[in-house]
């Protein structure tokens, strides 16, 4: 058993750690840029409205599958080859996106999700082996949010106008090539995780329960947040309010991730996670009242802050539930599957005239998440507890 506050294996040099983060950030970049580019494809009639939703969901689910299965397929060796190949594949599939439409485009985006997920798995392997996984997770979430903001702003300002939506995918392809080059510098391998009685190296029962909490966490957030624009319209706000709410939320997410990174090791993960869940449930109630513009914007910023502040604490939760850290390795896969499932479930409980059903559904899933998190901690074997 590896003690808390110590690396599993020898710590990689700083340059190799930075390279792993860069590869992981490129892997998750489409999650932030996707709505802009997929919306552009729908506007140019290369995707129908239905296919737009399908393409986004399929890519997120494929990312989750890639992140979840990579460890079982690749182990923890030959990481540089894996990083380079995934960067090249991602670049090629982004180029291929410019040549297709309709269902074929959905297929290509689904295929693009697989190398993206593997790239996320690569940086996750570094984070869960570090002395303070919640600090690494907070840093990753903060920098990826900043990278998505920069990429969206750059594509909007310099690419879409002169080159159209295809230019956006070519820009992503160029970033994929950069990640392939950087992939040469990632750690060549990771130290093995602690031994497990499971011959397939899968988590135990408590680890799977922790993954269920991670799934619920992202599912409830995306179930609500995907409807921020129609919710603003239903509240009677002026045009552009939803866009401002999203921008304020993204800024608050950066602040939340930064605070989580700084506070790593100083705040018990249980209270950070459960307290944030309670706060977000209250904010869902605020959204359900169809509040004024000022209250809506403030609630959006607070929701974004709590979302990214609390997300890094899912990693120590998973490690406490499964000290072999195999559940933590699978955490991003569970998160991405939750991101895909949340909007789908919400689509079943909304109507064209009232989207508040998504908020009630999200609140219910959030309560389930909070109960699972608290139950895992309260029933932990004391000898395995990591704090």
């Amino acid at each position: 058993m590896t003690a808390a506050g110590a690396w599993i294996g020898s710590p990689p040099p700083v340059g190799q750690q930075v390279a792993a983060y860069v590869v992981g950030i490129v892997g998750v970049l489409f999650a932030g840029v996707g709505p802009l580019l997929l919306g552009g494809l729908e506007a140019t009639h290369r995707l129908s409205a239905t296919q737009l939703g399908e393409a986004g969901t399929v890519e997120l689910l494929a990312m989750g599958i890639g992140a979840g299965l990579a460890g079982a397929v690749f182990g923890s060796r030959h990481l540089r080859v894996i990083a380079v190949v995934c960067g090249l594949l991602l670049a090629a599939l982004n180029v291929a996106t410019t040549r297709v439409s309709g269902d074929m485009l959905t297929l290509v985006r689904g295929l693009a999700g697989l190398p993206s997920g593997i790239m996320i798995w690569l940086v996750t392997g570094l984070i869960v082996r570090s002395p303070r996984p919640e600090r690494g997770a907070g840093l990753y979430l903060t920098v990826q949010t900043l990278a998505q903001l920069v990429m969206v702003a750059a594509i909007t300002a310099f690419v879409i106008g002169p080159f159209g939506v295809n230019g956006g995918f070519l820009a992503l392809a160029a970033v994929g090539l950069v990640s392939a080059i950087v992939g040469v510098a990632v750690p060549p391998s990771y130290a093995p995780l602690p031994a497990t009685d499971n011959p397939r190296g899968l988590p135990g029962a408590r680890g799977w329960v922790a993954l269920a909490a991670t799934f619920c966490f992202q599912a409830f957030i995306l179930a609500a947040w995907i409807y921020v624009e129609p919710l603003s319209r239903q509240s009677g706000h002026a045009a552009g309010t939803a866009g401002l709410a999203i921008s304020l939320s993204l800024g608050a997410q950066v602040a939340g991730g930064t605070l989580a990174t700084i506070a790593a090791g100083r705040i018990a993960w249980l209270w950070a996670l459960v307290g944030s869940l309670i706060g977000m449930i209250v904010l869902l109630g605020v959204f359900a009242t169809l509040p004024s513009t000022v209250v809506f914007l403030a609630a959006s910023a607070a929701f974004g802050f709590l979302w990214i502040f609390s997300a890094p604490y899912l990693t120590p939760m998973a490690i406490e539930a499964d000290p072999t850290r195999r559940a933590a390795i699978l955490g991003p896969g569970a998160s991405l599957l939750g991101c895909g499932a949340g909007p789908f479930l919400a689509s079943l409980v909304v109507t064209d005239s009232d989207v508040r059903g998504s908020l009630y559904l999200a609140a219910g899933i959030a309560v389930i998440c909070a109960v699972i998190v608290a139950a895992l901690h309260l029933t932990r074997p004391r000898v395995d507890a990591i704090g």
Side-chain angles (χ1 to χ4, degrees), residues 96-309:
T97 302
T98 68
R99 316 290 293 184
V100 293
S101 301
D103 291 336
M104 183 58 68
L105 195 150
T106 299
L107 173 62
V108 170
R109 294 320 307 169
L111 292 174
L114 294 174
S116 294
I118 295 168
M119 294 160 78
I120 295 168
W121 160 81
L122 192 146
V123 71
T124 303
L126 176 72
I127 290 170
V128 303
R129 289 170 171 83
S130 66
R132 284 291 176 189
E134 66 271 34
R135 178 172 294 154
L139 177 63
Y140 179 48
L141 287 168
T142 303
V143 178
Q144 73 174 241
T145 303
L146 281 170
Q148 290 168 1
L149 274 171
V150 170
M151 196 70 181
V152 168
I155 289 175
T156 301
F158 305 114
V159 177
I160 294 293
F163 304 108
V165 69
N166 279 347
F169 284 103
L170 292 177
L172 286 178
V175 174
L177 289 177
V178 170
S179 75
I181 296 170
V182 173
V184 175
V186 304
S189 63
Y190 291 138
L193 292 172
T196 176
D197 293 332
N198 191 318
R200 296 183 179 179
L202 296 175
R206 290 177 58 81
W208 288 111
V209 175
L211 290 172
T214 300
F215 174 91
C216 289
F217 181 88
Q218 295 294 355
F220 100 77
I221 288 174
L222 269 295
W225 197 242
I226 199 72
Y227 285 99
V228 64
E229 196 278 334
L231 184 64
S232 176
R233 278 191 280 108
Q234 188 177 339
S235 300
H237 301 154
T241 300
L244 180 56
I246 292 171
S247 297
L248 288 173
S249 175
L250 285 170
Q253 287 173 37
V254 173
T258 301
L259 179 59
T261 303
I262 295 171
R266 298 180 175 90
I267 301 177
W269 69 261
L270 177 69
W271 300 115
L273 192 50
V274 173
S276 296
L277 283 166
I278 293 172
M280 285 188 281
I281 291 170
V282 171
L283 289 169
L284 291 173
V286 172
F287 286 127
T289 66
L290 303 179
S292 67
T293 299
V294 172
V295 174
F296 186 86
L297 293 174
S300 298
F303 193 83
F305 178 89
L306 292 175
W307 172 2
I308 301 301
F309 170 74

Side-chain angles (χ1 to χ4, degrees), residues 311-333:
Y313 293 97
L314 293 167
T315 302
M317 175 205 69
I319 293 173
E320 180 178 279
D322 176 20
T324 70
R325 307 199 178 197
R326 283 170 170 78
I329 284 283
L330 296 175

